[in-house]
Amino acid sequence: MLKKVFLVICDGLGDRPLRELGGKTPLEAARTPNLDRLASESECGLMYTLGRGLVPGSDTAHLAILGYEREKYYAGRGPIEVAGLGLRLQQGDVALRGNLGTVDEKLTIVDRRAGRIRVVEPLTKSLDGMEIDGVTFIIKPGTAHRAGVIMRGERLSDAIIDADPHKPDLPVRKVTPTDRSTEARRTADVLNKFLARAHEILKTHPYNEERVANGELSANYLLVRGAGQYNVVPNFLERYGLSACCIAGGGLYKGIGAYLGMDVMELPEATGLPDTDVEKKFQAGLGNLQKYDFVFVHVKAADSLGEDGNFEGKRDFIEKVDQAAELLVRLPDEVLLIITGDHSTPCSQKSHSADPIPILFRGFGVRVDDVTSFGERSCSRGNLGVLEGKDIMAQVLNLMGKSPLVGA
Ligand code: ZN
């Protein structure tokens, strides 16, 4: 009988064949004895996370794999990011994510990340709790240059543009509404007032003066984006009857876990970067199988390396994941192991693509097929065939004997 689920999502895992790798993808070119062994004990297939032809964002991709329809449950990136910072939204709140960046006197962006400032807490603290026209701003520091923003008050809307132009050398954008509602107009006005006041505070903040004295960039502007409104999201336990925990390094992925009501584990070794300790993450996941029914482990770096076009780095990082996967080979039959990605990030394209990703299911009751290596092309010959993200939790519930009977 299956009792537990261990889900590994390797971000941006899929790729396309590269001449430089002898016509193989980074996953195919990597030496992966453990993943191959797991594949040979599994039922394999390919997954179009959002459906054919749709290029998944990491946020919508994860929601799909975890069985949450984006049409209903995706309310922009802001609410997910602030959930990852431990903040809870209330009805009517608007959430945004932001960077502490550097602007010049004309409000033109010098650096969107203020020279990759590492600690922004003294700055966010000076803005936290500010009130403007009946709206309270709750500001919390994220990792490095990042921050989460909640606007709390009446008559707010998330129908506003980003203040962040997303590129340097451009002026910061005045926030404007994207519909004709009075709520959107009011939200844009209040947010513009806040950003102007925040800039006044930040540019003379002692922490920034000290940075400038040390030859560093002043983190003098809060660049906000990804507005989204409070949304009712049924938590994972209510939805599936499975208690769940999330182990991730990147803020977005912790945010996904928190957004769905999973317990989010803090692991200092999980950095979300190529230097992350994958083995520690798997160990922590295995350690949590006693306490939780569903353990979700996220590994980020294959995606970032794909976006850099660094195919050798991506291949090597996959080998690192494989070494850690030695721990997963020892998983007993009663644990359903799923290994997949959230989307492809082809090194040749340096961005997400709609190419499907390999997936494996291993555990009691799965129809083990003839696939003996874990790769984009080998898994296409597996029993699972071609799935979509929304099929994954349905298949999990089916294998666990928890699916409802349709009809009599
Ligand atoms: Zn992703």
Side-chain angles (χ1 to χ4, degrees):
M1 241 336 240
L2 284 175
K3 295 193 178 130
K4 307 275 177 170
V5 183
F6 197 97
L7 168 67
V8 179
I9 297 185
C10 207
D11 212 287
L13 176 67
D15 213 297
R16 293 175 182 163
L18 288 157
R19 205 179 308 136
E20 297 89 334
L21 295 176
K24 293 181 173 177
T25 68
L27 175 59
E28 290 169 347
R31 223 184 75 79
T32 53
N34 292 310
L35 291 172
D36 294 343
R37 164 139 181 224
L38 290 168
S40 70
E41 298 168 356
S42 295
E43 187 171 12
C44 300
L46 287 180
M47 174 175 69
Y48 287 96
T49 320
L50 302 184
R52 278 174 205 262
L54 294 179
V55 178
S58 290
D59 42 15
T60 53
H62 278 76
L63 289 179
I65 294 169
L66 295 165
Y68 288 75
E69 305 90 311
R70 69 182 181 284
E71 298 80 0
K72 257 198 209 160
Y73 301 115
Y74 182 61
R77 188 92 168 229
I80 297 175
E81 296 266 351
V82 301
L85 300 178
L87 298 172
R88 287 189 83 89
L89 293 187
Q90 297 176 9
Q91 186 144 19
D93 284 356
V94 168
L96 303 113
R97 62 181 182 134
N99 284 1
L100 268 298
T102 305
V103 297
D104 65 16
E105 314 78 66
K106 290 182 181 150
L107 300 185
T108 297
I109 295 182
V110 176
D111 188 324
R112 286 184 62 245
R113 302 180 185 94
R116 290 205 176 263
I117 182 169
R118 293 184 70 86
V119 178
V120 295
E121 192 167 10
L123 302 172
T124 54
K125 222 177 201 171
S126 69
L127 310 177
D128 188 28
M130 195 191 294
E131 264 193 61
I132 298 174
D133 299 343
V135 177
T136 305
F137 285 83
I138 300 160
I139 319 290
K140 286 280 173 287
T143 48
H145 52 274
R146 300 178 188 89
V149 177
I150 295 177
M151 299 176 70
R152 181 162 293 163
E154 289 180 354
R155 293 178 292 114
L156 295 174
S157 162
D158 59 4
I160 53 171
I161 66 159
D162 295 344
D164 183 352
H166 299 269
K167 281 185 193 140
D169 304 323
L170 291 172
V172 298
R173 285 154 73 179
K174 193 171 145 61
V175 180
T176 53
T178 56
D179 69 22
R180 290 165 169 272
S181 67
T182 53
E183 287 82 2
R185 160 64 46 210
R186 164 176 149 79
T187 308
D189 288 347
V190 175
L191 184 54
N192 283 323
K193 284 185 196 169
F194 167 76
L195 295 176
R197 238 183 254 179
H199 177 51
E200 291 306 313
I201 292 170
L202 294 174
K203 72 181 182 192
T204 56
H205 196 288
Y207 187 74
N208 270 330
E209 285 177 349
E210 200 184 311
R211 282 179 60 81
V212 173
N214 290 333
E216 295 170 309
L217 290 172
S218 171
N220 59 13
Y221 205 91
L222 183 57
L223 290 158
V224 291
R225 62 191 193 279
Q229 205 134 14
Y230 167 83
N231 191 9
V232 180
V233 182
N235 81 40
F236 199 83
L237 176 60
E238 285 165 24
R239 201 165 167 87
Y240 301 117
L242 300 170
S243 60
C245 78
C246 162
I247 297 168
L252 171 64
Y253 310 95
K254 290 182 192 169
I256 297 267
Y259 190 64
L260 304 183
M262 296 180 180
D263 285 348
V264 179
M265 304 291 135
E266 284 302 331
L267 200 66
E269 294 88 352
T271 59
L273 300 169
D275 69 358
T276 196
D277 193 334
V278 186
E279 204 174 306
K280 277 265 161 60
K281 285 167 108 167
F282 287 168
Q283 261 165 8
L286 297 175
N288 275 304
L289 276 175
Q290 287 288 339
K291 191 170 169 200
Y292 296 94
D293 303 317
F294 189 101
V295 173
F296 158 45
V297 181
H298 178 268
V299 183
K300 175 70 182 166
D303 175 56
S304 327
L305 292 161
E307 286 189 335
D308 292 343
N310 183 352
F311 55 87
E312 284 166 330
K314 185 169 175 179
R315 176 198 61 199
D316 295 348
F317 184 75
I318 291 169
E319 293 188 349
K320 182 171 168 174
V321 173
D322 181 80
Q323 280 159 21
E326 194 182 346
L327 292 167
L328 307 181
V329 172
R330 293 183 230 143
L331 271 174
D333 220 23
E334 65 195 25
V335 178
L336 175 63
L337 171 68
I338 304 168
I339 303 179
T340 189
D342 56 341
H343 51 77
S344 294
T345 307
C347 294
S348 52
Q349 183 175 292
K350 298 186 179 179
S351 63
H352 298 190
S353 78
D355 301 289
I357 37 255
I359 182 165
L360 66 77
F361 277 72
R362 173 188 182 264
F364 181 81
V366 304
R367 294 170 175 167
V368 178
D369 54 34
D370 300 334
V371 175
T372 53
S373 72
F374 191 59
E376 289 87 343
R377 281 173 280 203
S378 52
C379 285
S380 73
R381 295 189 288 274
N383 256 355
L384 282 174
V386 178
L387 306 173
E388 290 190 16
K390 66 179 166 60
D391 301 327
I392 305 306
M393 284 308 296
Q395 177 66 348
V396 167
L397 296 178
N398 170 52
L399 286 166
M400 297 186 94
K402 285 171 173 280
S403 292
L405 179 66
V406 181

